[in-house]
Amino acid sequence: MEFKEISRGVKIPVLGLGTWGMGGGTFPNPFTDKQSVAALRHGIKLGMTHIDTAEMYANGHTEEVVGEAIKPFDRENLFITSKVLPRNFRYDDVIEAAKRSLKRMKIEQMDLYLLHWFNPDIPLKETMFAMEYLLEQELTRFIGVSNFSVEEMKEAQSYLDKAKIVNNQVEYSLMRREPEKELLPFCQKNEIMLTAYSPLGHGALVKKKIPLLDALAKKYNKTSVQIALNWLISKDWVITIPKASNIKHVEENFGAVGWKLSKEDMEKLDKLVI
Ligand code: NAP
């Protein structure tokens, strides 16, 4: 596995494991929890030790699936991210939500805790104070945000005394290029890790016929999925978290690591419009 430094001396795998949909929830899930646990364990064994989840997913059940999946592994070898729902952004609610997430995953501390998306109805200052409390109490090692604009990130950071927002998790893929306009340059300049979610367009990218991806797959003896993921993790301050409940998909995604697209091919992909 390759790693990037999310904070001084702390590394995070460039390729992690998404979990949205595992354990049921908002859309049909053809997999049993047992299959999801097996897929996560397989990914962890391969080195995809960053697991991304959220209290929202399957109303908390996904965190229980994660808890089951991580049981056989040494906690210190994993990087676990979860997220608090905007309706829980009041000071006490953030703390209670974090404790519930820890309980469901049967862990003492998260590595990274994120605000799932901006909530204009609750003062962000109050929420950030609660996030700082979680750091002080060592209920999480790092804090961050998700789906935040640059302005929202700046506001969140302004309420922090010593702590730093180390991460913004946003949708970013060959199909979704919005972060390139403002957010990615901001993160790169300020050394904030950008986690690209839905890197396969929630599966849509796989179903599409994209001639450039096919051509590059042939050239590098890789698959189109591996090209699409490699393009993301080749960018400074970008990591990603594809979700795969199918073990074959987990293995294919893992093949996105350990090799490099040439500068010219990166540029071709940068210009690709899907
Ligand atoms: P995704 O990772 O882009 O796509 C997942 C879909 O692609 C699944 O249907 C999966 O199928 C399929 N897939 C995975 N690897 C494949 C492969 N090698 N070949 C063919 N199909 C493959 O979408 P996502 O789940 O939306 O995003 C990833 C993660 O990001 C989520 O799980 C979640 O942890 C996070 N996320 C965060 C937010 C947020 O607001 N912060 C929003 C969305 C997602 P199988 O499951 O059948 O293997």
Side-chain angles (χ1 to χ4, degrees):
M1 182 49 62
E2 293 167 24
F3 295 83
K4 288 184 183 176
E5 210 169 52
I6 190 162
S7 179
R8 197 156 299 160
V10 181
K11 290 179 172 172
I12 186 164
V14 293
L15 202 68
L17 300 164
T19 63
W20 189 27
M22 288 186 179
T26 43
F27 40 81
N29 168 33
F31 298 95
T32 62
D33 288 359
K34 219 173 145 191
Q35 285 169 317
S36 293
V37 166
L40 290 173
R41 287 186 181 168
H42 195 70
I44 292 169
K45 279 186 202 149
L46 289 172
M48 290 184 267
T49 50
H50 173 207
I51 300 141
D52 176 77
T53 190
E55 66 167 339
M56 184 188 98
Y57 302 166
N59 266 326
H61 181 54
T62 308
E63 290 180 327
E64 292 171 342
V65 170
V66 168
E68 179 63 23
I70 63 177
K71 251 192 214 162
F73 301 96
D74 286 339
R75 176 67 187 88
E76 62 268 27
N77 294 333
L78 304 172
F79 193 104
I80 297 175
T81 299
S82 193
K83 316 179 196 84
V84 52
L85 272 170
R87 67 164 178 261
N88 291 329
F89 280 6
R90 288 278 174 203
Y91 188 89
D92 289 343
D93 295 344
V94 172
I95 296 161
E96 287 312 310
K99 287 182 179 167
R100 283 195 301 270
S101 289
L102 290 168
K103 201 168 167 199
R104 285 191 288 259
M105 292 188 278
K106 299 193 180 78
I107 55 175
E108 305 285 316
Q109 185 187 50
M110 286 175 277
D111 293 282
L112 180 60
Y113 199 44
L114 307 177
L115 305 183
H116 209 146
W117 64 90
F118 187 78
N119 182 352
D121 299 325
I122 295 177
L124 188 55
K125 190 174 185 177
E126 177 177 340
T127 313
M128 296 315 291
F129 281 4
M131 293 296 268
E132 248 182 349
Y133 174 85
L134 296 179
L135 284 171
E136 280 157 24
Q137 296 299 308
E138 300 187 357
L139 298 180
T140 185
R141 290 169 76 203
F142 300 103
I143 55 170
V145 294
S146 176
N147 302 303
F148 270 42
S149 66
V150 167
E151 284 317 305
E152 290 161 353
M153 285 181 84
K154 284 182 183 164
E155 186 189 341
Q157 183 62 56
S158 75
Y159 301 132
L160 294 170
D161 190 19
K162 279 181 250 140
K164 184 187 171 193
I165 290 168
V166 300
N167 182 236
N168 191 0
Q169 184 182 122
V170 295
E171 184 165 8
Y172 184 30
S173 70
L174 279 171
M175 296 177 94
R176 288 293 186 122
R177 311 290 286 268
E178 285 84 348
E180 291 174 355
K181 285 182 209 141
E182 206 189 351
L183 192 65
L184 180 57
F186 175 80
C187 287
Q188 288 170 331
K189 184 162 175 259
N190 292 283
E191 306 194 330
I192 298 166
M193 197 64 76
L194 186 151
T195 304
Y197 77 63
S198 303
L200 303 175
H202 206 64
L205 193 70
V206 186
K207 289 179 195 124
K208 264 195 148 131
K209 181 127 191 65
I210 304 161
L212 176 60
L213 277 189
D214 291 344
L216 292 176
K218 208 168 169 200
K219 175 175 171 185
Y220 288 88
N221 198 18
K222 301 287 172 193
T223 67
S224 301
V225 163
Q226 291 165 345
I227 302 284
L229 295 175
N230 190 283
W231 171 78
L232 280 171
I233 59 178
S234 297
K235 293 179 178 285
D236 289 344
W237 293 95
V238 177
I239 58 169
T240 191
I241 45 168
K243 177 264 180 185
S245 295
N246 178 325
I247 286 196
K248 285 208 173 81
H249 292 164
V250 175
E251 287 182 348
E252 180 177 4
N253 298 347
F254 176 65
V257 179
W259 56 279
K260 282 226 166 320
L261 283 159
S262 70
K263 196 167 164 283
E264 299 74 52
D265 290 331
M266 281 295 290
E267 282 166 7
K268 278 187 200 159
L269 287 165
D270 284 342
K271 288 186 198 127
L272 180 67
V273 179
I274 298 174

